[in-house]
Amino acid sequence: MLFDPVMLTSCIKDITTLCQHITYGQAKILACLRNNREHLSEKCSAQLFQREMFCDDVKPSEIFSCLRMNKNDPSMDDSCRAIVTKRQIRQSKDVKLDPQLRQFCKLDIPKFCQEEMDSHGQGKVVKCLKDHYDRLSDECMDYVKRLMREAARDYRMDARLSNECADDIKKYCSDAAPSAVEECLKSHLGSLASKNCRVEVVRQMKEARTDIQSDPVLFKACAVDVKRHCSEIPFGRGKVMKCLLEAHDANPARFDRECLLHLASRMKMWEVAAKFVPPETLGDLALSISSSPSKNYFFVIFATCLALIFVGGLVFGRLSKRIKREVKDR
């Protein structure tokens, strides 16, 4: 039971009363609760039912991960879902509470984020891993991608954003559900009072461009078009978003109206974001230009600069040869 914090929270009184003689570990307490099913409290009985419904055949150490994966199942009890969510929020703030992250990223954390690991808290390790996303091992990248998607559906699981944007959330998004807060912050990006909050919102927008499923609003609107135009493209590393934008530029008439509207909205948001937080790398700059409505203008300017450099090189080269020839003739 030490491996199942959700079950422990719901059944602590029942365990104390009915299973005080049982040693913790190896699911012995779970067996005790099953044997005393008729004497359990309503809360513990409901939790035991949820446990058996979704995760009856998993190891004790994997129960929370199983419940986490099934959290959005409509048949899961609200109280169980709330406990799982609360545990996830705590994990987002302290990597030491997330054994799966330490397991899947056991090589990546010492390599990229040892300093953040030593000063754990407020999501520093997760932020560091996201900053090195393209260099992570496959296992670690998949798990960090899962964290990004979960945070996109509930801002409370993004420790950095929820901390830096606390005041702006109260001001602009107090009536929004946790699943809608990030979308609310994006729509108010130009009005956010906190500079650090703007940085975190732009960072989240960048993550969504890396993995379109980390932008649940856009992904839902464009799910059909993603399947239609990019079905063979793997998610992650910005490949699906790049494919979608290229398909849009080639023939927007083949896109559903809802997807077109949301893509146009996202492009405007990206332009606003670039004004507040300029691209940090050449890759970010290229992605910003390629998704900008003014990208043709940028390409013309770039091509003109290349042409001028080329012509200037030719002229300078010929002039140099002529000068050398004249010096030699003297």
Side-chain angles (χ1 to χ4, degrees), residues 211-247:
D211 175 38
I212 192 173
Q213 291 193 55
S214 295
D215 187 340
V217 174
L218 180 63
F219 184 62
K220 181 180 179 181
C222 294
V224 173
D225 289 293
V226 168
K227 189 173 182 179
R228 179 185 297 148
H229 302 289
C230 310
S231 59
E232 297 181 0
I233 306 297
F235 289 100
R237 300 183 186 274
K239 293 180 180 180
V240 172
M241 185 67 78
K242 182 174 182 290
C243 168
L244 200 63
L245 292 172
E246 289 176 350

Side-chain angles (χ1 to χ4, degrees), residues 14 45 48 51 62 73 83 95 99 127 132-133 145 162 173 195-196 200 203 207 212 225 254 263 302 309:
D14 301 83
S45 180
L48 180 62
R51 160 72 166 78
E62 298 173 356
D73 191 302
I83 294 172
V95 66
K127 180 183 182 299
H132 295 87
Y133 182 80
K145 187 192 304 179
S162 57
C173 312
K195 179 182 177 181
N196 289 340
E200 292 304 319
R203 184 261 307 161
E207 291 174 8
I212 192 173
D225 289 293
R254 293 188 62 200
L263 271 178
F302 182 69
I309 293 172

Side-chain angles (χ1 to χ4, degrees), residues 42-61:
E42 184 178 346
K43 184 178 180 181
C44 182
S45 180
Q47 191 60 59
L48 180 62
F49 175 76
Q50 295 287 319
R51 160 72 166 78
E52 293 175 333
M53 178 186 293
F54 296 110
C55 310
D56 193 39
D57 57 346
V58 302
K59 300 177 182 177
S61 59

Side-chain angles (χ1 to χ4, degrees), residues 5-19:
V6 179
M7 197 77 190
L8 188 61
T9 301
S10 300
C11 297
I12 186 65
K13 292 182 179 179
D14 301 83
I15 293 170
T16 303
T17 304
L18 302 171
C19 308

Side-chain angles (χ1 to χ4, degrees), residues 22 28 30 88 91 94 137 139 198 206 244 269 271 299 311 317 326:
I22 302 296
K28 293 179 181 178
L30 185 60
Q88 286 180 277
Q91 286 183 337
D94 190 346
S137 63
E139 274 191 336
R198 291 198 298 267
K206 179 181 174 182
L244 200 63
M269 285 184 180
E271 282 199 281
F299 288 146
V311 172
E326 290 178 354

Side-chain angles (χ1 to χ4, degrees), residues 164-165 167-168 191-199:
E164 299 292 353
C165 297
D167 292 337
D168 285 301
S191 305
L192 299 179
S194 168
K195 179 182 177 181
N196 289 340
C197 179
R198 291 198 298 267
V199 169

